[in-house]
Amino acid sequence: MSARQAEPVVSAPPDPGPPRTAGRGAPRPLTLRLLARPEVGVFLGAAAVFVFFLIAAPPVRSGASMATVLYQSSTIGIMALPVALLMIGGEFDLSSGVAVITSALTASMLSYQLTLNIWVGVIVALVASLAIGAFNGWMMVRTGLPSFLVTLGTFLILQGVNLAVTKLVTGNVATDDISSMDGFGQARRIFASSFDVGGVQMKITVVWWLVFAALATWVLLRTKYGNWVFAVGGDQDSARAVGVPVTFTKTTLFMTVGFGAWFVGMHQLFSFNTVQSGEGVGQELIYIAAAVIGGCLLTGGYGSAIGPVFGAFMFGMVNQGIVYAGWNPDWFKAFLGVMLLGATLVNLLVSRTATRR
């Protein structure tokens, strides 16, 4: 045997093969991850609509015109937010449009007819709006009926009550002017005031709209309740099996829509001092369309609070942009239909992209 020991034989490492670019463990491309976000598509659409009207309607470029666009967007967006949360939870509310008018009528007639401080009517209107939402949620959960049918019934009830009670109490289809009542000025500052930004008058509803959007985003993404909303919208039976309080979640989502209806109703009341009892019909479709355009799937379980913000902005931009361009305002409905159909197709593509492995 040689004094020199044999050196150990070191074998070469195995060939790692081609890099992993596909399969369950491979990272998805950044583009696909961005497209899977519910608000990306509507953001691009809103930007395109904005640029289009900047070119087609030069008056849009002024600060006053943009303030008007934002105001129109905010009155839609404040209601579109809770409607979007409800849709993520897998339900609809067709009574949201007339519920706005019900809230305003309650506050106005109660305060005026009983000669009370306007804040009494405001608080009673809030309780009534929350009660309507709670009724919708309770009725849907207890009966098992689709929310479409339950809220359609509520829509018809409220529409009839708004007209009949207003005529019975005031002898007219509109409420009396409440601008001289105690508390009106304070309430107007909260719900319908304006403030100056660089010489342009901006409505306070724009601020409330953004505050509510930030709050809704935080609730959806950072709280247990947000997880419950997505869970009951995805599969309520599975959610209930893992301990999610389905009844509580869905009922409170309907009550959130009631809160939004109350807030927008108070804005309308203190902006115009009176309310037409026949208004609000058809607005529920605008709110739902803004949520759908904002990326909320009709099947529930998917969406965001930011998407409906851009969806509402698109509505405000198109509505006012057509006026500033000098076109026939009847085209707004055509644009609305095109946007809704396009958003539905985009949402279908996004949902398939989000679930693709």
Side-chain angles (χ1 to χ4, degrees):
M1 182 176 183
S2 170
R4 183 181 178 184
Q5 295 183 349
E7 296 181 358
V9 178
V10 180
S11 60
D15 185 6
R20 297 182 66 181
T21 58
R24 188 174 298 272
R28 302 173 69 191
L30 177 61
T31 303
L32 291 180
R33 294 201 303 270
L34 287 176
L35 287 177
R37 295 296 306 166
E39 62 273 5
V40 171
V42 67
F43 170 75
L44 297 176
V49 169
F50 177 67
V51 172
F52 172 78
F53 280 107
L54 282 180
I55 299 172
V60 171
R61 303 167 193 171
S62 70
S65 297
M66 283 308 305
T68 303
V69 169
L70 290 175
Y71 168 62
Q72 291 288 336
S73 303
S74 67
T75 56
I76 297 172
I78 290 175
M79 271 302 293
L81 284 168
V83 168
L85 295 182
L86 181 63
M87 289 181 63
I88 295 173
E91 308 298 342
F92 297 91
D93 190 346
L94 296 180
S95 66
S96 56
V98 292
V100 170
I101 305 304
T102 301
S103 178
L105 291 172
T106 301
S108 177
M109 288 191 293
L110 182 69
S111 299
Y112 187 89
Q113 299 300 324
L114 300 181
T115 320
L116 301 173
N117 187 292
I118 195 64
W119 280 104
V120 176
V122 169
I123 294 173
V124 172
L126 173 60
V127 174
S129 296
L130 294 177
I132 292 171
F135 171 79
N136 284 336
W138 176 83
M139 181 64 69
M140 188 208 68
V141 173
R142 289 299 299 269
T143 63
L145 291 172
S147 57
F148 176 88
L149 293 178
V150 172
T151 58
L152 178 60
T154 307
F155 161 79
L156 295 173
I157 292 171
L158 293 180
Q159 183 183 10
V161 169
N162 288 350
L163 288 167
V165 173
T166 304
K167 288 182 179 179
L168 178 65
V169 173
T170 68
N172 202 341
V173 294
T175 59
D176 298 287
D177 191 319
I178 61 170
S179 58
S180 60
M181 297 189 64
D182 293 338
F184 179 86
Q186 185 182 30
R188 186 184 180 91
R189 284 193 294 272
I190 294 175
F191 295 106
S193 62
S194 301
F195 58 96
D196 186 83
V197 178
V200 175
Q201 290 294 306
M202 190 76 68
K203 288 287 189 179
I204 192 66
T205 51
V206 177
V207 176
W208 284 118
W209 176 36
L210 299 179
V211 169
F212 290 151
L215 179 61
T217 300
W218 176 78
V219 169
L220 276 181
L221 301 181
R222 292 292 183 265
T223 68
K224 182 186 296 185
Y225 184 81
N227 292 332
W228 292 348
V229 173
F230 282 107
V232 299
D235 189 333
Q236 69 174 17
D237 293 331
S238 298
R240 183 179 286 110
V242 297
V244 173
V246 174
T247 299
F248 170 81
T249 303
K250 295 211 172 192
T251 302
T252 51
L253 285 174
F254 277 103
M255 293 177 70
T256 303
V257 175
F259 174 83
W262 167 77
F263 195 94
V264 175
M266 295 306 98
H267 166 70
Q268 292 189 10
L269 175 61
F270 294 110
S271 291
F272 305 108
N273 308 335
T274 183
V275 184
Q276 294 288 333
S277 58
E279 293 182 350
V281 178
Q283 283 298 112
E284 65 282 346
L285 300 180
I286 301 294
Y287 304 144
I288 292 173
V292 173
I293 290 173
C296 296
L297 295 181
L298 297 174
T299 53
Y302 185 82
S304 72
I306 297 299
V309 172
F310 295 121
F313 175 77
M314 287 180 68
F315 274 56
M317 189 74 250
V318 172
N319 193 13
Q320 293 301 123
I322 289 175
V323 175
Y324 291 135
W327 301 342
N328 187 335
D330 293 337
W331 282 107
F332 171 70
K333 294 295 184 181
F335 270 91
L336 173 60
V338 171
M339 288 191 300
L340 182 58
L341 181 59
T344 304
L345 295 175
V346 170
N347 288 349
L348 178 62
L349 175 63
V350 167
S351 65
R352 291 176 177 176
T353 301
T355 57
R356 187 180 300 160
R357 294 293 184 179

